[in-house]
Amino acid sequence: MTVLAVDDSSAENAFLADAQRYRRELLAHCYRMTGSLHDAEDLVQETYLRAWKAYRGFERKSSVRTWLYRIATNTCLTALEGRNRRPLPSGLGQPASDPLGELHERHEIAWLEPLPDEPRADPSDPSVIVESRESVRLAFIAALQHLPARQRAVLILREVLQWRAAEVAEAIGVSTAAVNSLLQRARAQLDEVSPARDDAALAPDTPQTTELLDRYISAFETYDIDRLVELFTADAVWEMPPFDGWYDGPADIVALSKFHCPAEGPGDMRFLRTMANGQPVAALYMRNPQTGVHEAFQLHVLDVRTTGISHVVAFMETALFERFGLPAHL
């Protein structure tokens, strides 16, 4: 049952029907706050339910969109109370792993999740501006997870949504001075966990990105893993939650792929292409030796830079394939 079916009140239902146009950007907002696609979907639904209940008291001192963001932010803050952050393996504070060592799964950790991209609408639509690629890139979302929830909210509202400090203060119930202090601390923390890079990130639809993705997929599908060395930057990182290790540099990434990949030769791996977090995704299907069918295996979210592929997060959660609209097998 959707929230539109909760009551037959025409005013509230008309409001919610109109407010649905903000659903995608609210989903991105809740995802930035939580690092979880699943949690974000639930929190957007809760946001609409709270808005429906409070609609008669809405005084229209702000736009409906701003009002919904305020509700969504406070819904997220409540939900995050007492919860641990959602990390990637490289954010656990442990050194890079031995690519020839044992792999350790950590299902007790709530890992960061990817966010599927959707086709963009009219570029003049504010939601397109709000959901800019940089504001949902995995590296940024992972860095946000290091911040306490209130700092996270302030930084997102101020620097992603471009709200004034007074608007943020009113939204989360603190003083303007407190907002400025929280923002300063959040920026300092982000600088520590996510230092600026010299090479710029490339959009997923540029010719250079397409060429690198073609070569990346070809190396795996032809089982010519050594070719991967040519594609990665010198400081490239590979990680694959729920395994808690991370791997540093092209040589270790290639060694890991050779030593631990269940493929045995050309044709064992096939890929479909999609996008997540404003980044290219190579969805890997591994051939089942018993049935010969290629089955969903990993979602590779690539960070492509002007100097090469700098980061791959290979998500092992095959349930994500359905969330991305991808088949379970080929």
Side-chain angles (χ1 to χ4, degrees):
M1 180 178 72
T2 68
V3 293
L4 295 180
V6 174
D7 191 275
D8 62 356
S9 172
S10 58
E12 284 87 342
N13 287 347
F15 154 72
L16 281 181
D18 179 62
Q20 292 302 312
R21 58 183 167 150
Y22 303 115
R23 178 175 288 273
R24 174 63 191 183
E25 57 178 295
L26 289 171
L27 178 68
H29 179 62
C30 294
Y31 171 73
R32 293 184 195 100
M33 286 291 296
T34 64
S36 166
L37 172 61
H38 180 270
D39 288 352
E41 289 172 336
D42 288 346
L43 289 166
V44 169
Q45 190 75 352
E46 176 66 19
T47 295
Y48 278 107
L49 181 58
R50 291 188 182 190
W52 180 85
K53 290 179 177 179
Y55 176 69
R56 291 188 182 275
F58 176 41
E59 299 177 351
R60 298 192 177 275
K61 292 180 179 179
S62 64
S63 67
V64 168
R65 179 170 172 269
T66 298
W67 184 60
L68 288 171
Y69 267 105
R70 290 178 60 175
I71 296 172
T73 300
N74 284 287
T75 301
C76 289
L77 289 173
T78 299
L80 288 169
E81 290 178 2
R83 289 195 189 183
N84 294 326
R85 64 185 179 90
R86 284 182 172 267
L88 289 174
S90 58
L92 293 178
Q94 53 194 29
S97 304
D98 177 2
L100 306 184
E102 187 178 352
L103 302 178
H104 300 280
E105 291 189 65
R106 299 282 300 278
H107 290 288
E108 75 276 13
I109 296 176
W111 297 102
L112 190 71
E113 297 175 350
L115 176 71
D117 281 12
E118 287 191 357
R120 295 304 194 273
D122 180 355
S124 65
D125 186 338
S127 67
V128 177
I129 299 171
V130 169
E131 194 197 343
S132 65
R133 284 168 173 157
E134 286 302 317
S135 71
V136 293
R137 292 184 70 85
L138 268 181
F140 179 63
I141 302 301
L144 285 177
Q145 290 294 301
H146 288 270
L147 303 179
R150 197 169 291 274
Q151 285 186 28
R152 202 180 305 173
V154 167
L155 186 132
I156 292 169
L157 293 173
R158 289 283 284 123
E159 301 204 339
V160 177
L161 298 181
Q162 299 293 305
W163 284 22
R164 298 189 304 274
E167 292 178 299
V168 178
E170 184 180 0
I172 65 173
V174 299
S175 67
T176 302
V179 166
N180 292 331
S181 176
L182 287 165
L183 180 60
Q184 184 177 22
R185 281 180 280 163
R187 285 171 173 166
Q189 180 72 5
L190 280 191
D191 287 342
E192 287 185 16
V193 301
S194 183
R197 294 181 59 99
D198 293 331
D199 51 341
L202 296 177
D205 50 2
T206 65
Q208 185 177 350
T209 300
T210 301
E211 181 198 5
L212 278 170
L213 185 60
D214 286 344
R215 293 168 63 192
Y216 180 87
I217 289 174
S218 175
F220 279 107
E221 290 187 337
T222 61
Y223 205 64
D224 189 359
I225 306 301
D226 288 324
R227 286 166 52 198
L228 291 174
V229 171
E230 308 165 3
L231 308 181
F232 287 109
T233 62
D235 59 350
V237 168
W238 176 288
E239 46 195 332
M240 46 187 185
F243 296 105
D244 65 0
W246 64 280
Y247 305 88
D248 185 19
D252 279 7
I253 293 171
V254 169
L256 173 78
S257 300
K258 286 181 174 181
F259 191 71
H260 289 289
C261 181
E264 297 180 353
D268 281 354
M269 292 179 279
R270 292 176 59 190
F271 288 83
L272 293 180
R273 302 159 191 254
T274 185
M275 291 189 292
N277 298 79
Q279 300 170 228
V281 173
L284 169 58
Y285 292 79
M286 189 71 67
R287 189 178 69 87
N288 184 321
Q290 277 74 46
T291 65
V293 174
H294 286 81
E295 300 172 346
F297 187 69
Q298 290 178 333
L299 283 179
H300 293 194
V301 182
L302 282 65
D303 188 347
V304 180
R305 302 274 165 170
T306 53
T307 52
I309 298 171
S310 64
H311 199 163
V312 176
V313 184
F315 291 96
M316 301 284 295
E317 179 53 69
T318 56
L320 288 170
F321 278 67
E322 182 179 358
R323 309 291 286 276
F324 275 71
L326 297 168
H329 59 270
L330 299 179

